[in-house]
Amino acid sequence: MLKAEIRKQALKERLLLSDTAYESLCEALLNEFKSLDFSQIKTLHIFLPITEKKEPNTFLLIEWLNKNHPQIKIIVPKADFETALMTNHEYLGVGDLKKNLYNILEPQKGNLHEGEVDLVLIPLLAFDKQGYRVGYGKGFYDRFLQDINAQKIGLSLYPAIEKIDDVNEHDIRLDFCITPTEIIKF
């Protein structure tokens, strides 16, 4: 299947989730996430969920990390839609977040982070068995991931699809993907 078709189908499927099913899948995703080895992680980039699109609730992961691994610096993205580039900012809590024009929560006062990033948690609509992902089509994460040497982990509420037929040279492959039932290594 082609990305455009996958994108449309995946978004439709997610939006049909009941609130109860969505919350249950997010809790199961958190349980899988907890099994990762965080001993070498100093800085972790995590996306903030667009809840209207039923993206995985990463606030559950952030709360768990803050409680169980307070030494890990959590950074969150801020997107520049004119350049299609992202910057990383220190996560200061929900009080520092504000929705942008696209309904995406972004940090307001968190310091810019320009150092190393050890782990990046990546949003996606779908992923395939080869480790490629389908996002919303703007390429923010593919551009962001080109320049960093971090572990790349996708978060998905659904299992892998067989194959994305129109993968190109700009698509960055995931190292892992976490679903509510397993962690898949590529």
Side-chain angles (χ1 to χ4, degrees), residues 15-31:
L15 292 175
L16 288 173
L17 281 172
S18 70
D19 290 346
T20 307
Y22 169 69
E23 289 168 15
S24 177
L25 288 169
C26 290
E27 286 290 338
L29 192 74
L30 171 63
N31 284 333

Side-chain angles (χ1 to χ4, degrees), residues 2-18:
L2 299 177
K3 290 178 192 172
E5 191 180 334
I6 295 167
R7 190 174 288 122
K8 193 172 159 182
Q9 187 177 326
L11 189 53
K12 182 180 175 184
E13 194 174 333
R14 256 196 346 213
L15 292 175
L16 288 173
L17 281 172
S18 70

Side-chain angles (χ1 to χ4, degrees), residues 124 126-134 161 164 167-168 171-174 186:
L124 52 87
F127 71 103
D128 71 11
K129 293 181 177 180
Q130 292 71 44
Y132 291 101
R133 61 182 271 282
V134 174
I161 61 172
I164 300 166
V167 167
N168 65 54
D171 292 332
I172 303 288
R173 198 164 166 249
L174 300 170
F186 301 107

